[in-house]
Amino acid sequence: MDEKLSRMKEYLEECVARCTQARTELLADDRGDEANFQAIQANIYGIFSTILNVAVEQNLGDPQGVEGFFQKKLEEIPGNWANAYQKAEERGDDVAAHLERLKLDTAEEVGRTFREIWRAEG
């Protein structure tokens, strides 16, 4: 579990760093909206990094417990974003819908990467 955990933590840290760097560059180019999108993505990666730490703390030495906890949160947390996305779509708020879709897509990417890492042999 240690190797998988370390790979997942590294992935999340790299994503936060990449988004932070991109945000800085976009701000320097006066591209504030795009910079905000990067900040949102960095926050989502940070949320799941915190959740991974909590999963480990609550399931010490239990890789299946860590996986179950993290998977459950991957399903629960985006639920509010999905509802907000649907409401934004219904009222024709393209900006809000885009922000919620960004959150959902980022969470989906985290989940996909988690499953790849966690199910890998070794």
Side-chain angles (χ1 to χ4, degrees):
M1 176 171 89
D2 289 342
E3 182 181 328
K4 292 176 183 183
L5 185 59
S6 146
R7 285 179 56 206
M8 190 64 193
K9 285 182 177 185
E10 182 179 312
Y11 157 75
L12 291 167
E13 289 169 4
E14 286 174 359
C15 289
V16 169
R18 184 187 70 235
C19 289
T20 302
Q21 178 64 34
R23 181 176 186 273
T24 300
E25 292 169 7
L26 289 164
L27 285 172
D29 288 342
D30 291 323
R31 295 165 58 191
D33 288 345
E34 292 169 274
N36 288 338
F37 299 154
Q38 291 296 318
I40 290 167
Q41 283 186 290
N43 286 339
I44 303 305
Y45 292 123
I47 287 167
F48 284 107
S49 180
T50 298
I51 289 169
L52 184 60
N53 290 333
V54 171
V56 171
E57 288 173 14
Q58 292 187 4
N59 297 280
L60 288 175
D62 179 9
Q64 292 169 330
V66 171
E67 179 181 17
F69 183 95
F70 197 80
Q71 287 282 54
K72 182 179 177 192
K73 295 301 180 185
L74 277 167
E75 294 169 12
E76 287 176 359
I77 291 171
N80 291 332
W81 301 331
N83 290 337
Y85 173 76
Q86 185 173 4
K87 288 177 184 175
E89 284 278 298
E90 289 169 1
R91 66 179 184 273
D93 187 343
D94 293 338
V95 173
H98 180 72
L99 294 177
E100 298 306 325
R101 171 56 40 208
L102 183 62
K103 293 175 190 176
L104 291 166
D105 290 347
T106 304
E108 188 176 306
E109 177 199 328
V110 170
R112 206 171 31 253
T113 302
F114 178 77
R115 288 186 293 279
E116 287 171 9
I117 289 172
W118 221 253
R119 289 189 170 59
E121 295 297 319

